[in-house]
Structures are given as C-alpha cells and as structure tokens.
Amino acid sequence: MFTPTGKGAFLGCLTTTGIRAPDGKAWTARTLNPELDELARQGLLTEDLSCVPELLHPVAVDAMASPEGAMLADAARKAFPAQTRSPYQYSYSMQADPDALRRFRLAIYTNDDAEFSTQLDRYNKDFSPARGPHLLERLFLRTPVTTAWLASRGLAIQYAIFSIKLSSLLQSGLPGSDLPELVGHYRAQQGREDFAAFRWALLQYDLLAGHLEDVRRRIDEIEGG
C-alpha cells in the first residue's frame, strides 16, 4: 500500500482482488484483522499498517512477479484512485496525494513506462523540496536494487532510478552497494542509440569518482560519434 492505510481501505482493496480468505470465503474484517495483527507481530507491518521501509521494494518486486501481480495492481488502482485537479482546487499537490503516489509507484513495479513518464511529469510540476525529498529519492536513494530487475524496466524508469543512484553518490560521497554493478551494466549499453542519455549520466559518475582522464576521453568520443 506504500503509505499508511486504514483497515477499512485495506479490506476494500483486498475484496476488489477477488482473492478468498483462508477459509475459502470472502474477506471480512473478522478474518482480516488476525492476519494484519500477525504481520505486525512479525515486524512486517508498522502500527499504522505501513510496510516497514526496508521491505517496501522487495515485497513490491515479489508481489508483481507473482501470478496474482496484475490483479493486485489493478485492485490498488481501483481502491485508491488518484485525485484530480479541478479549476477551483489551487492548493492541490500530487506530492501530498497518497493515492497519486501509489499510482506513480505502481507504474514502476508494473513496468508501465508511459504511465511512469506521465506521472513523473505531473509530480515534477508539483514538487517542492520544502515538502520533503522527491518521491524517487524516498523510494530508491538508500534502497539497493538488482541490475537484473532495473534492466527489466522501461528505459524511462531505468534512467530515473539510475540517476537517483548517482545522486546518492553526490550527497554522501560514497557509492551505494548496487552502484558499481549498475555502472558496469550501463557502461556496456551506452553505445546503443536508445541509451544515449546514460552516456552523460556516466560522465557525471566519472566526474564524481575523480576519473578526469576518462571524462575527457568519453566527451571526445561522444562529440565525435
């Protein structure tokens, strides 16, 4: 669910999936409450029914890869529709709309590159650092991702998350545990026309890493090619 979710909303989403409770019947508050209590007891849910932060990414990856993945994503979209901005709603900000943020995040994990680009454009129009870090920073700045998973996403998603990984190096001066392998992967792909944007991102990495001779050589290659 990504953000804190009341039991009623959680039950509504679960009911929308059509998945049955362990007793074979439709989910009810009576059958759901013990399951949520058990997840909380195991430390997998917080008191406000949020997923513990370190599990947000791996749980989402596993859920979307499961046979029920598409059904779960569709249920979440139906249960938590994004707000729409009306001509009279001047104070609306996607950055403060938890339902819109769920849809943004779903676009990443369902690998919907077009929807991701649309949501990213909308989010960036509303984004204000004063309200907190960018959503992609919240999700991926300190969250290791596997190269295989990121490479399976659309190019817009790949580039956005890879850029966030470079931001982590810029902010801390230390590469994340996943960054060297990601750099190696995109270094091998940068000659392809559709990966052109990654060349400049890799130059940024080389600058941050102090590889000045490599930077000069690669700028010459880019300008000459």
Side-chain angles (χ1 to χ4, degrees), residues 155 188-200 225:
L155 282 176
Q189 306 299 321
Q190 65 179 334
R192 294 170 49 182
E193 183 177 351
D194 49 345
F195 280 80
F198 290 85
R199 299 172 195 164
W200 296 105

Side-chain angles (χ1 to χ4, degrees), residues 48-68:
D48 60 7
L49 300 186
S50 297
C51 181
V52 293
E54 59 269 26
L55 293 180
L56 271 172
H57 174 68
V59 164
V61 171
D62 287 348
M64 292 301 99
S66 73
E68 300 87 0

Side-chain angles (χ1 to χ4, degrees), residues 40-214:
R41 187 191 67 78
Q42 294 181 27
L44 303 176
L45 281 181
T46 63
E47 291 183 358
D48 60 7
L49 300 186
S50 297
C51 181
V52 293
E54 59 269 26
L55 293 180
L56 271 172
H57 174 68
V59 164
V61 171
D62 287 348
M64 292 301 99
S66 73
E68 300 87 0
M71 180 169 47
L72 293 172
D74 187 55
R77 293 188 187 98
K78 290 177 179 177
F80 304 103
Q83 297 179 24
T84 56
R85 187 197 304 266
S86 77
Y88 309 103
Q89 193 177 18
Y90 297 110
S91 62
Y92 173 82
S93 169
M94 183 178 174
Q95 194 174 350
D97 180 354
D99 296 332
L101 299 184
R102 286 189 184 95
R103 296 178 72 87
F104 189 178
R105 183 169 176 266
L106 274 172
I108 295 172
Y109 288 101
T110 59
N111 197 24
D112 189 336
D113 218 27
E115 175 68 5
F116 170 80
S117 296
T118 297
Q119 296 294 341
L120 182 60
D121 288 344
R122 288 185 58 223
Y123 185 88
N124 285 338
K125 289 178 182 177
D126 288 331
F127 174 66
S128 168
R131 296 193 188 102
H134 195 281
L135 178 63
L136 291 177
E137 289 186 331
R138 288 171 56 192
L139 291 174
F140 296 107
L141 190 66
R142 308 298 180 202
T143 300
V145 301
T146 66
T147 300
W149 175 79
L150 188 56
S152 71
R153 307 295 91 185
L155 282 176
I157 298 173
Q158 289 187 54
Y159 182 73
I161 295 177
F162 183 57
S163 296
I164 289 297
K165 295 298 178 180
L166 292 179
S167 295
S168 177
L169 177 60
L170 179 63
Q171 291 182 24
S172 68
L174 298 172
S177 60
D178 52 357
L179 186 57
E181 184 174 335
L182 291 173
V183 167
H185 170 75
Y186 289 113
R187 187 88 75 199
Q189 306 299 321
Q190 65 179 334
R192 294 170 49 182
E193 183 177 351
D194 49 345
F195 280 80
F198 290 85
R199 299 172 195 164
W200 296 105
L202 289 166
L203 281 176
Q204 181 184 23
Y205 170 79
D206 287 331
L207 280 170
L208 294 172
H211 303 155
L212 300 185
E213 289 300 321
D214 290 336

